Amino acid sequence: MKTDIEIARSVRMKPVTEVARQLGIAPDDLELYGKYKAKVPLSYIDREKRKNAKLILVSAISPTPAGEGKTTVSIGLSQALNRIGKRSCVVLREPSLGPVFGLKGGATGGGLSQVLPMEDINLHFTGDFAAIEKAHNLLAALIDNNIQSKTRSLGLDPRTISWKRVMDMNDRSLRHIVAGLGGTASGVPRETGFDITAASEVMAILCLATSIADLKRRLGNIFVGFTYDKKPVYARDLHAEGAMAALLKDAIKPNLVQTLEGTPALIHGGPFANIAQGTNTVVATEMSLSLTDYTVTEAGFGFDLGAEKFLDIKCRAAGLSPNAVVLVATVRALKYHGGQPLKELKTPDVEALERGIVNLQKHIENIGLFGLSPVVAINKFATDSDEELQFIRDYCTMRGVPCAVADVWGQGGAGTEELAGLVAETADHCCPQFKPLYPLDEPVTRKVETIAKNIYGAEAVDYTPKAKNALKRIADLGLDALAICMAKTQKSLSDNPALLGRPKDFVITVRDIEIAAGAGFLIPITGEIMRMPGLPEEPAAEHIDIDDEGNLSGLF
Amino acid sequence: MKTDIEIARSVRMKPVTEVARQLGIAPDDLELYGKYKAKVPLSYIDREKRKNAKLILVSAISPTPAGEGKTTVSIGLSQALNRIGKRSCVVLREPSLGPVFGLKGGATGGGLSQVLPMEDINLHFTGDFAAIEKAHNLLAALIDNNIQSKTRSLGLDPRTISWKRVMDMNDRSLRHIVAGLGGTASGVPRETGFDITAASEVMAILCLATSIADLKRRLGNIFVGFTYDKKPVYARDLHAEGAMAALLKDAIKPNLVQTLEGTPALIHGGPFANIAQGTNTVVATEMSLSLTDYTVTEAGFGFDLGAEKFLDIKCRAAGLSPNAVVLVATVRALKYHGGQPLKELKTPDVEALERGIVNLQKHIENIGLFGLSPVVAINKFATDSDEELQFIRDYCTMRGVPCAVADVWGQGGAGTEELAGLVAETADHCCPQFKPLYPLDEPVTRKVETIAKNIYGAEAVDYTPKAKNALKRIADLGLDALAICMAKTQKSLSDNPALLGRPKDFVITVRDIEIAAGAGFLIPITGEIMRMPGLPEEPAAEHIDIDDEGNLSGLF
């Protein structure tokens, strides 16, 4: 069997100028990055035109460690829509190097549903992550430089600085550090740390910004810490937002590439809906809506994480509303939720499937809470038995939920046409404006409780003393009306990765709340979730290589 | 008077495909980064052809804090060579974001001698620095992950790890940190720190590598630290070199842009010859030699730093030899060396000039030590008096050193034709193979002494106890035969920034010696030089801005 990278390399790509032409973009307007990648100027966003296009959100059940293939289904679905005569573009998030070098590998789909050139997209792509990282860390350097300053000090209390640094790397040793050691010439010692770049507030700001002016305004609003006399300090007080925005001048433009079937793909914005907002950029979504009829986009991990944030944060802020929600499930994952061990998921077991289907059930119910209708997509694996597939189909049919099996990996668009037909029909006919889950003007604890109880199914929410202090700080700063961006494990509907299926009678523990005033949300950190991952015992990096001609291997 | 960025923006650039055509590069072989930047494949290096082309090295006297305009002279000289009918390409180093956001600003020349597009080159350019930073920090993450590992530990002693992390930022607070805090899940606590990316050994390796195979070999040879039973550990023991090289797959290709006069420029590799090797890449130099008749290249700071390393490290490793050495001097800097205060440098003062000319004298003598002949280029400022300029001309004439005044800033190539004529004549007629200053097989202390006494003019070299331990470690590892890459202030020929002119009777203090086994050199760290700079009281970043149309300001 061919690997993903072998399949990718066997395809003859179109020049990206030709992909652009399909979308009505003049080749001369592109900023090329090689022959197969390009940035598209924001002038291709047409906010009137985008209102008539259909937005399809692809989400998933609570995933197994390997993921449910949400990206692969999104790509396959968009390929299939184009096959059945519906002009479609898939809008994805950019991969993080953390998983590429860690455990999970790249994030460009798989098999016959991939975006190309996969090596480039999975490594530095067009440099957006590097630019975000640099803008973030420039603010950190300006903060520490101001603390060190003799003549221009704002009186920042180093113990109150909440702005950390970021690096796009799974590097657990940087989570908690003491910096500024080495004497008076090398800064003021203080506790700080690094998050992974996808979790940067600058990433969230880039994802939500609608223009350069909006980008700069949001960057200026980043909360930094307090002075010794308890006055809040924002990035604008350090005159940081101009240089930060300058660093992002290209990163704000969406990246155009192609799928394995030569259909257009916009890839822009960061992943990790467990520890960040984890949706692609507003401008990429709007651009696709402006240029095609059916935009297929994804939000990270299960519906409880990525999709909830996609709706309550991104769609609310940008005035978007999906016309269909695709819920990706696999036989394997549902059996895993039913108690079948990871190593045995290839063995048919309808009983485990029956026990695990409650996870799908809960996510279907959650979609309804936003006033939206689901389409279930079963991402087919070669080891799935007919009986197992039929069980899920029957389950959905009984509940009136459209459902299709899609062989996105093995057959690409050709294996996804049934799903594409269902999705197009749903999107064409069923398009109410979605209802956000909570109003912004409620108290923070009420908003968190609404998410925890209604979406996760929790009994209650508990706050550690540190989180309670954070609540008080947020109130003092007058930032109660921000949206909520939960940091929670993706492995369970609860904050405990071990609770599979549809857990009940559990309490969500908020151990801290970070402030992202520029992005416009608060980040309650639950359970043991970390905003800087670590590498596994045997990192994928050890198997990545390049030959003398520059060909990569071991990426997948 | 127009600023550099205003001048740059007033010029209509050629498409980079046209610049490539001038060099005989097929447009289809380019990897475009927008319309005006491109990467050129290594297949355009022709190692036979390059031997017939002339290599011109531009260096300088000990600079004032603002620099002597070495980059600007290099650009103006290459523009002028093309004007007088000599096919020339200028080969420069990529700017670091540290100075861009700090004090010094960009590094793309100035006035009518600039490389374009200056905003892009000064910010992320084609992502090379980001790729180098990522490759460097991937190794760091793999090291800490191995220390944390339960099943695959190499037994690395955390107290012996010499591999730090890097960030392209002036961030003094990261010089000395304790990482790995926060309990057993977050690594093992240990002292470490960050250098600026230009000082990364990966940068040096990229600058010296002649192919992907050579790159990988060198990356594998990076020395990491010792196991608890005192065995050395290299990057190859962590299987890091494949993934590191994969991250550098595009970074290893030289970047093609243009000068303000539309002549070709290759910009590739990192700056900072005070704390790093600080020369552009071997492959860019070789590519220019393969494609044009006169390659103008620069090495950082004074001849004592950049040029010594260019010759003893880069040229020796790559089998290159310059055909002419241009020594850039300014009236202002020579007066500064003669004791005139920084703020008064605009006032004519021939007596200060007479006192300061000894700095020029020493650098001229140093060029002779390599068996090479200098051409002095006086980089003209509007405030220079005729008497002052004549004084330097006379000084050179008396010593038989060709000398020309060049108005590179005010007139570009047109103001640099006299210099171009002298340089072309020198290069055409005077091309002995240079002699390295020291043989590699001498003891480390002997090699350091040779540089310190002969080039700097020191009386002796002193080693701190830490440096003596390092010498012993190097001997134990069998790495004595590596080249020497001094880390020393650029402000003085000595290791004390306050000693201007031509200091005498001073001792060079080596306080540590870092090992760069993959790059092939040892780094004696002298005086108080830091490999991670800090921001100034008022960082340039505060004045950088971007408007709604994406136009930058405040970069210069």
Side-chain angles (χ1 to χ4, degrees):
Chain A
M1 204 166 65
K2 279 189 181 177
T3 62
D4 288 347
I5 198 168
E6 286 165 352
I7 293 170
R9 212 174 282 149
S10 70
V11 167
R12 197 180 167 83
M13 284 185 276
K14 297 177 188 174
V16 69
T17 46
E18 198 176 310
V19 181
R21 227 177 257 126
Q22 286 171 241
L23 291 173
I25 301 170
D28 208 50
D29 285 345
L30 293 179
E31 276 177 45
L32 294 177
Y33 284 69
K35 294 183 183 64
Y36 306 107
K37 297 165 284 174
K39 284 197 167 278
V40 184
L42 298 186
S43 57
Y44 277 96
I45 296 171
D46 181 333
R47 292 198 166 114
E48 274 312 301
K49 210 169 162 192
R50 75 140 164 98
K51 289 179 189 160
N52 304 316
K54 305 298 180 190
L55 178 59
I56 297 152
L57 171 62
V58 178
S59 185
I61 61 167
S62 305
T64 60
E68 292 323 282
K70 199 165 40 331
T71 303
T72 312
V73 168
S74 300
I75 297 166
L77 174 58
S78 184
Q79 290 179 153
L81 282 164
N82 280 293
R83 278 174 175 266
I84 64 170
K86 312 283 186 186
R87 290 180 61 238
S88 170
C89 176
V90 63
V91 185
L92 303 172
R93 298 159 301 150
E94 303 180 46
S96 159
L97 284 171
V100 167
F101 293 131
L103 193 61
K104 204 176 166 183
T108 47
L112 291 183
S113 295
Q114 296 189 53
V115 281
L116 308 177
M118 69 95 92
E119 299 99 314
D120 292 8
I121 299 170
N122 277 310
L123 293 180
H124 313 289
F125 200 18
T126 57
D128 295 345
F129 270 55
I132 288 159
E133 192 169 304
K134 204 56 66 183
H136 184 117
N137 292 335
L138 173 60
L139 177 55
L142 290 170
I143 291 167
D144 276 306
N145 192 57
N146 190 273
I147 294 173
Q148 177 84 350
S149 174
K150 292 180 191 91
T151 61
R152 305 174 75 243
S153 166
L154 297 173
L156 264 166
D157 181 345
R159 301 164 303 177
T160 68
I161 309 290
S162 52
W163 192 253
K164 296 195 274 188
R165 288 172 177 81
V166 294
M167 188 184 287
D168 189 28
M169 187 72 72
N170 284 3
D171 194 347
R172 68 170 70 73
S173 287
L174 292 179
R175 275 179 201 149
H176 304 286
I177 70 170
V178 173
L181 298 169
T184 53
S186 296
V188 172
R190 65 180 185 89
E191 287 179 63
T192 182
F194 281 70
D195 291 331
I196 194 162
T197 303
S200 163
E201 184 177 350
V202 178
M203 173 66 84
I205 287 174
L206 187 91
C207 287
L208 294 167
T210 52
S211 66
I212 292 177
D214 185 38
L215 178 75
K216 242 163 67 178
R217 183 186 59 77
R218 288 172 177 271
L219 292 170
N221 285 343
I222 290 171
F223 171 69
V224 160
F226 292 97
T227 63
Y228 280 105
D229 49 3
K230 311 270 186 276
K231 290 200 192 102
V233 174
Y234 297 89
R236 58 178 175 266
D237 300 319
L238 292 154
H239 312 292
E241 72 274 26
M244 290 172 78
L247 280 168
L248 298 171
K249 78 181 174 70
D250 297 315
I252 199 176
K253 298 174 196 161
N255 306 295
L256 179 65
V257 291
Q258 65 193 283
T259 68
L260 209 67
E261 298 185 7
T263 66
L266 288 168
I267 306 192
H268 199 213
F272 295 166
N274 48 354
I275 56 173
Q277 58 108 33
T279 74
N280 53 63
T281 65
V282 166
V283 289
T285 304
E286 290 192 318
M287 186 175 286
S288 174
L289 289 168
S290 306
L291 298 172
T292 61
D293 300 323
Y294 295 84
T295 292
V296 179
T297 190
E298 56 163 355
F301 296 118
F303 186 90
D304 53 323
L305 285 167
E308 187 271 314
K309 295 169 184 181
F310 185 89
L311 295 163
D312 281 325
I313 299 174
K314 173 175 167 169
C315 287
R316 169 151 47 191
L320 295 166
S321 186
N323 303 89
V325 179
V326 177
L327 194 63
V328 178
T330 58
V331 168
R332 300 157 57 114
L334 289 173
K335 288 192 291 188
Y336 178 65
H337 283 291
Q340 198 179 31
L342 262 182
K343 285 186 178 166
E344 294 169 23
L345 292 180
K346 291 180 180 172
T347 316
D349 183 347
V350 178
E351 282 174 27
L353 190 56
E354 266 189 80
R355 288 192 303 273
I357 200 97
V358 290
N359 187 271
L360 177 70
Q361 182 190 34
K362 175 60 177 155
H363 287 291
I364 289 174
E365 289 172 19
N366 284 349
I367 295 171
L369 294 177
F370 291 89
L372 295 168
S373 303
V375 176
V376 169
I378 307 174
N379 182 14
K380 191 178 184 310
F381 280 68
T383 51
D384 299 345
S385 75
D386 290 343
E387 198 188 351
E388 289 172 325
L389 292 170
Q390 194 55 44
F391 176 84
I392 307 176
R393 278 188 192 270
D394 291 346
Y395 180 89
C396 293
T397 308
M398 269 177 10
R399 279 150 191 85
V401 176
C403 169
V405 176
D407 186 8
V408 290
W409 200 94
Q411 298 184 65
T416 319
E417 292 187 12
E418 185 195 348
L419 177 68
L422 284 181
V423 168
E425 199 184 307
T426 304
D428 288 347
H429 298 105
C430 144
C431 42
Q433 177 69 31
F434 89 99
K435 301 186 305 255
L437 193 72
Y438 54 85
L440 292 175
D441 58 6
E442 283 185 345
V444 174
T445 48
R446 177 77 178 275
K447 290 183 279 194
V448 173
E449 195 179 84
T450 302
I451 298 171
K453 288 190 172 172
N454 296 1
I455 299 291
Y456 306 161
E459 278 294 299
V461 181
D462 198 15
Y463 292 83
T464 65
K466 191 173 181 189
K468 284 181 187 158
N469 281 337
L471 283 170
K472 190 173 169 309
R473 195 179 314 128
I474 290 159
D476 290 348
L477 289 166
L479 296 174
D480 306 73
L482 296 183
I484 302 297
C485 182
M486 300 294 285
K488 181 183 79 67
T489 179
Q490 71 276 14
K491 293 180 181 168
S492 168
L493 278 157
S494 77
D495 62 354
N496 176 355
L499 301 181
L500 301 180
R502 181 175 185 166
K504 293 225 159 92
D505 304 323
F506 63 89
V507 171
I508 291 281
T509 305
V510 176
R511 65 168 214 268
D512 197 1
I513 308 179
E514 296 191 8
I515 296 169
F521 53 67
L522 304 168
I523 309 166
I525 300 182
T526 70
E528 303 201 338
I529 190 83
M530 300 282 188
R531 300 192 80 216
M532 169 57 96
L535 287 170
E537 282 279 313
E538 185 168 346
E542 293 187 13
H543 306 291
I544 295 176
D545 206 355
I546 181 170
D547 68 19
D548 292 359
E549 276 68 51
N551 298 309
L552 300 195
S553 59
L555 260 178
F556 299 82
Chain B
M1 205 166 66
K2 280 189 180 175
T3 62
D4 288 347
I5 197 167
E6 285 164 354
I7 294 170
R9 212 173 283 150
S10 70
V11 166
R12 196 180 169 82
M13 284 185 275
K14 297 177 188 174
V16 70
T17 46
E18 200 175 308
V19 181
R21 227 177 257 126
Q22 287 171 237
L23 292 173
I25 300 170
D28 206 51
D29 285 345
L30 294 178
E31 274 177 46
L32 296 176
Y33 284 69
K35 294 183 183 61
Y36 307 109
K37 297 164 285 175
K39 284 197 166 278
V40 185
L42 298 186
S43 55
Y44 277 95
I45 297 171
D46 181 332
R47 291 194 168 117
E48 273 313 301
K49 210 168 162 191
R50 76 141 164 98
K51 289 180 187 159
N52 305 315
K54 304 299 179 189
L55 178 59
I56 297 152
L57 172 62
V58 179
S59 185
I61 62 168
S62 305
T64 60
E68 292 322 282
K70 197 166 38 341
T71 304
T72 313
V73 169
S74 300
I75 297 166
L77 174 57
S78 184
Q79 290 178 154
L81 283 165
N82 280 293
R83 277 173 175 267
I84 65 170
K86 312 282 187 186
R87 291 180 61 238
S88 171
C89 175
V90 63
V91 186
L92 303 172
R93 297 159 302 151
E94 303 179 47
S96 159
L97 284 170
V100 168
F101 294 132
L103 194 60
K104 204 175 167 184
T108 48
L112 291 183
S113 296
Q114 296 188 53
V115 280
L116 308 177
M118 70 95 95
E119 299 99 313
D120 292 8
I121 299 171
N122 277 311
L123 293 179
H124 312 288
F125 201 18
T126 56
D128 295 344
F129 270 55
I132 289 159
E133 192 169 305
K134 204 57 66 182
H136 184 118
N137 292 336
L138 172 61
L139 177 55
L142 290 171
I143 290 168
D144 275 306
N145 192 58
N146 190 272
I147 294 173
Q148 177 84 352
S149 173
K150 291 179 193 94
T151 60
R152 304 174 77 242
S153 167
L154 297 173
L156 265 166
D157 180 347
R159 300 164 305 177
T160 69
I161 310 290
S162 51
W163 192 251
K164 296 196 274 187
R165 287 172 177 81
V166 295
M167 188 185 286
D168 189 29
M169 187 72 71
N170 284 3
D171 195 347
R172 67 170 70 74
S173 287
L174 292 179
R175 275 178 201 149
H176 305 286
I177 70 170
V178 173
L181 299 170
T184 53
S186 296
V188 172
R190 66 180 184 88
E191 288 180 63
T192 183
F194 281 70
D195 291 331
I196 194 163
T197 303
S200 163
E201 184 178 349
V202 178
M203 174 67 84
I205 287 173
L206 188 90
C207 287
L208 294 168
T210 52
S211 65
I212 292 177
D214 186 38
L215 178 75
K216 242 165 66 179
R217 184 186 58 80
R218 287 172 177 272
L219 292 170
N221 285 343
I222 291 171
F223 172 69
V224 160
F226 292 96
T227 62
Y228 279 105
D229 48 4
K230 308 274 187 275
K231 291 199 191 102
V233 174
Y234 297 89
R236 58 177 176 267
D237 300 319
L238 291 154
H239 313 293
E241 72 274 26
M244 292 172 77
L247 280 168
L248 298 170
K249 78 181 175 70
D250 296 317
I252 198 175
K253 299 174 195 162
N255 305 295
L256 179 66
V257 292
Q258 65 193 283
T259 69
L260 210 65
E261 299 184 7
T263 66
L266 287 168
I267 305 192
H268 200 213
F272 296 166
N274 48 355
I275 56 172
Q277 59 106 32
T279 74
N280 52 63
T281 63
V282 165
V283 289
T285 304
E286 291 192 317
M287 188 176 284
S288 173
L289 290 167
S290 306
L291 298 172
T292 62
D293 300 323
Y294 295 85
T295 292
V296 179
T297 190
E298 57 163 355
F301 297 117
F303 186 89
D304 53 322
L305 286 168
E308 187 270 314
K309 295 171 184 181
F310 184 90
L311 295 164
D312 281 325
I313 299 175
K314 173 176 167 169
C315 287
R316 168 151 46 191
L320 296 165
S321 185
N323 304 89
V325 178
V326 177
L327 194 63
V328 178
T330 59
V331 169
R332 300 157 58 116
L334 289 172
K335 289 192 292 189
Y336 178 66
H337 282 291
Q340 198 179 32
L342 262 183
K343 285 186 179 166
E344 293 169 23
L345 292 180
K346 291 180 180 173
T347 315
D349 184 345
V350 177
E351 282 175 27
L353 191 55
E354 266 188 79
R355 288 192 302 274
I357 200 96
V358 291
N359 187 271
L360 177 69
Q361 183 190 35
K362 175 60 178 155
H363 288 291
I364 289 174
E365 290 171 19
N366 284 348
I367 294 171
L369 294 178
F370 290 89
L372 296 168
S373 303
V375 176
V376 169
I378 307 174
N379 182 14
K380 190 178 185 309
F381 279 69
T383 51
D384 299 346
S385 75
D386 289 343
E387 199 187 352
E388 289 173 324
L389 292 170
Q390 195 55 46
F391 177 84
I392 306 177
R393 276 186 192 273
D394 291 347
Y395 181 89
C396 292
T397 307
M398 269 178 9
R399 280 152 190 83
V401 176
C403 169
V405 177
D407 186 8
V408 290
W409 200 94
Q411 299 182 65
T416 318
E417 291 187 11
E418 185 196 347
L419 177 67
L422 284 181
V423 168
E425 200 184 307
T426 305
D428 288 346
H429 298 105
C430 143
C431 41
Q433 177 69 30
F434 89 99
K435 300 188 303 259
L437 193 71
Y438 54 85
L440 291 175
D441 58 6
E442 283 184 345
V444 175
T445 50
R446 176 79 179 275
K447 291 184 277 195
V448 173
E449 196 179 82
T450 302
I451 297 171
K453 289 191 172 171
N454 297 0
I455 299 291
Y456 307 160
E459 278 295 300
V461 180
D462 198 14
Y463 292 82
T464 65
K466 193 175 180 186
K468 284 180 188 159
N469 281 337
L471 283 170
K472 191 174 167 309
R473 196 179 312 129
I474 290 160
D476 290 346
L477 288 166
L479 296 174
D480 305 74
L482 296 183
I484 302 296
C485 182
M486 301 292 286
K488 182 184 79 67
T489 179
Q490 70 276 17
K491 293 180 181 169
S492 169
L493 278 157
S494 77
D495 63 353
N496 176 355
L499 300 182
L500 301 180
R502 180 177 184 165
K504 294 224 160 90
D505 303 323
F506 62 90
V507 172
I508 290 281
T509 305
V510 175
R511 66 167 213 271
D512 197 1
I513 308 178
E514 295 191 7
I515 297 168
F521 53 67
L522 304 168
I523 310 167
I525 300 181
T526 70
E528 303 202 336
I529 190 83
M530 299 282 188
R531 302 192 79 214
M532 168 56 97
L535 287 169
E537 281 278 314
E538 187 169 344
E542 293 187 13
H543 307 290
I544 295 176
D545 206 355
I546 181 169
D547 68 17
D548 291 359
E549 275 70 50
N551 297 310
L552 301 194
S553 59
L555 259 178
F556 301 82

